Amino acid sequence: MKVCESFELPSGVKLKNRLFFAPISTMEDAPDGKVTKDELAFFKQRTGDVGAIIIASAYVNQEGKSYGNNLSVSHDHYIDSLKTLSSTLKENNTKAILQIYHGGAMAQSQTDYSKVLCVSDNSTRLSKDETYQELTESTINNIISDYEKAVLRAIKAGFDGVEIHGANSYLPNQFLMPSWNLREDKWGGSRENRLRFLKEIINKSLKVIEKNAEKPFALGLRFSLEDAFLESDEKRNQSFQESLLLLDQLDQMGLDYIHITSSNVLENKIFEGKSIKLLTLVKAVLRTTPLIGCGNILQPESVEDALSLTELVSACRPFVFNPDWATQILSNKPIVLPKETPNWQMRQELNIPRNLWKGIESSPEWYLYKF
């Protein structure tokens, strides 16, 4: 089975197999952004046979924080807390990767008087219930610097890599999408200008790694394949084709991997009048950068189907109710998820954090692959 094969990323980070635990927000970190014992217990039970675990959504500065109880990598005093997390993940030669983000217009107001930062204050995407401040040139450069500092802190905290969150309408994604980005300066307009913010983050992060990492350290990117908020199939398909053009440029950046988001990574897309596998289309433009396929992956056969078209595969939902998911995939064993509605005893046995459990209670069928 291809999934059992080891794989070396371009940076030299060596993965013991092709499986990633995709980022999932436990929403269990302390209000100040530090790791809690409950989150550590959740991941300790799930590390082991999986090749790498990506920890979700550490905000690079306070203004970019998008929801409560998530990790912070915004100051040096978080390094010790993050060390406890990276060391827990790496106990069984599993690689530990920290996803870093800025929420931009998706962030929360930090005080009653503060304004949320946005790429364009005339975007129709902005909420009428919030007050926004359009990013200035100096603020954009400061945020890029915050990403650099976050990468350095991840190195010092013992992680094996960083994943830039450029998907799901977070700030880099807001720069990329025409519906968010209506700027007329060098940060907006043309595709090249809309890509500038992300390119700056990638280039400067690579320089931080080159200067400070004493061992191989990976830089990856989470990337959305289409604007999920578009209503018509035609517009979503246009968004997908635009994403392929962006990926073509990102392929030249020297990233260790690109980690795509998709509701079903094995689906076909209509492209130029033909039905073609999504992964085939993506790999046609990602000629040098390893690709992580993610979306509706559960059973060994779906893992192998994805790996027939890409280098790496990730999932997060299966790990919630099956901490040994990677072990069973590597052994080619069918995955069995709970058939009944999850109960409180199950939460305790599986060390599922309280706030993640609340999300499960509101959407149990999603976690159990029932649609």
Side-chain angles (χ1 to χ4, degrees):
M1 295 174 64
K2 186 176 179 180
V3 67
C4 299
E5 297 173 359
S6 61
F7 187 80
E8 185 171 326
L9 297 172
S11 63
V13 172
K14 296 179 180 179
L15 304 167
K16 59 188 178 182
N17 57 55
R18 306 299 182 101
L19 289 176
F20 275 65
F21 186 165
I24 182 172
S25 296
T26 65
M27 296 168 285
E28 197 64 28
D29 300 293
D32 65 355
K34 292 183 178 179
V35 180
T36 63
K37 60 180 180 60
D38 288 341
E39 183 167 37
L40 288 174
F42 175 79
F43 283 108
K44 184 177 180 66
Q45 191 174 1
R46 288 157 178 81
T47 190
D49 281 335
V50 66
I53 296 177
I54 305 172
I55 295 296
S57 304
Y59 51 91
V60 300
N61 65 28
Q62 188 66 34
E63 291 75 22
K65 181 180 179 180
S66 292
Y67 56 94
N69 299 96
N70 66 301
L71 281 175
S72 178
V73 65
S74 62
H75 192 278
D76 285 352
H77 66 235
Y78 290 106
I79 293 174
D80 287 342
S81 173
L82 291 167
K83 280 182 179 179
T84 63
L85 183 53
S86 68
S87 61
T88 296
L89 302 181
K90 294 165 65 172
E91 287 179 358
N92 299 287
N93 195 30
T94 293
K95 298 303 180 184
I97 297 176
L98 183 67
Q99 185 186 70
I100 60 175
Y101 86 103
H102 188 293
M106 304 289 285
Q108 299 173 324
S109 296
Q110 302 302 310
T111 70
D112 291 339
Y113 306 102
S114 65
K115 296 180 179 180
V116 175
L117 299 174
C118 66
V119 176
S120 301
D121 59 12
N122 57 342
S123 169
T124 57
R125 286 290 179 81
L126 302 181
S127 170
K128 295 179 181 179
D129 299 325
E130 190 62 81
T131 305
Y132 297 93
Q133 179 177 319
E134 186 169 293
L135 289 165
T136 63
E137 177 81 15
S138 62
T139 305
I140 290 172
N141 289 324
N142 288 339
I143 292 173
I144 293 170
S145 177
D146 288 333
Y147 274 91
E148 294 178 79
K149 294 172 185 175
V151 172
L152 179 57
R153 291 176 189 127
I155 293 171
K156 292 181 177 180
F159 283 89
D160 298 297
V162 155
E163 179 176 281
I164 298 166
H165 201 338
N168 303 125
S169 294
Y170 287 126
L171 187 57
N173 193 224
Q174 291 168 28
F175 269 96
L176 293 177
M177 291 191 295
S179 57
W180 284 101
N181 187 349
L182 302 173
R183 301 176 71 99
E184 298 180 353
D185 59 3
K186 70 177 186 179
W187 304 99
S190 68
R191 187 180 303 115
E192 184 64 36
N193 281 355
R194 287 183 280 115
L195 193 56
R196 189 185 305 276
F197 179 72
L198 181 53
K199 278 189 169 182
E200 286 291 310
I201 292 172
I202 292 170
N203 282 327
K204 293 194 174 182
S205 295
L206 287 170
K207 289 179 181 178
V208 170
I209 294 167
E210 182 181 9
K211 182 179 179 180
N212 296 281
E214 297 178 354
K215 61 179 183 178
F217 188 90
L219 182 68
L221 171 67
R222 185 76 159 173
F223 186 84
S224 290
L225 289 177
E226 60 183 30
D227 185 342
F229 291 94
L230 295 174
E231 295 181 359
S232 73
D233 290 341
E234 181 182 359
K235 289 184 177 180
R236 288 173 71 104
N237 191 50
Q238 289 173 353
S239 176
F240 175 74
Q241 293 187 46
E242 163 94 346
S243 293
L244 293 179
L245 295 172
L246 293 169
L247 286 172
D248 183 56
Q249 294 189 53
L250 290 167
D251 190 42
Q252 313 303 317
M253 297 294 296
L255 290 163
D256 277 277
Y257 66 80
I258 290 180
H259 189 184
I260 58 172
T261 61
S262 174
S263 59
N264 182 3
V265 76
L266 294 173
E267 71 177 341
N268 282 24
K269 301 286 288 187
I270 301 300
F271 187 79
E272 296 181 349
K274 299 179 181 179
S275 179
I276 304 174
K277 287 186 177 295
L278 180 151
L279 286 175
T280 298
L281 291 167
V282 175
K283 283 306 296 178
V285 294
L286 286 185
R287 294 172 291 276
T288 60
T289 308
L291 174 64
I292 303 179
C294 181
N296 206 33
I297 297 289
L298 177 61
Q299 298 293 348
E301 54 266 29
S302 58
V303 170
E304 286 296 317
D305 284 349
L307 287 174
S308 70
L309 298 167
T310 187
E311 293 86 359
L312 303 159
V313 166
S314 75
C316 65
R317 286 182 289 165
F319 282 99
V320 175
F321 290 110
N322 195 334
D324 296 322
W325 181 74
T327 304
Q328 294 180 28
I329 292 293
L330 294 168
S331 302
N332 200 28
K333 294 181 178 178
I335 304 300
V336 179
L337 295 177
K339 294 181 180 179
E340 71 280 1
T341 302
N343 55 51
W344 192 255
Q345 181 180 358
M346 192 180 296
R347 184 190 86 83
Q348 293 178 313
E349 292 172 352
L350 297 175
N351 286 303
I352 299 174
R354 186 182 302 271
N355 286 323
L356 175 56
W357 184 255
K358 291 178 182 178
I360 293 170
E361 287 182 317
S362 65
S363 304
E365 294 189 348
W366 186 78
Y367 285 93
L368 297 175
Y369 281 76
K370 291 186 177 181
F371 62 84

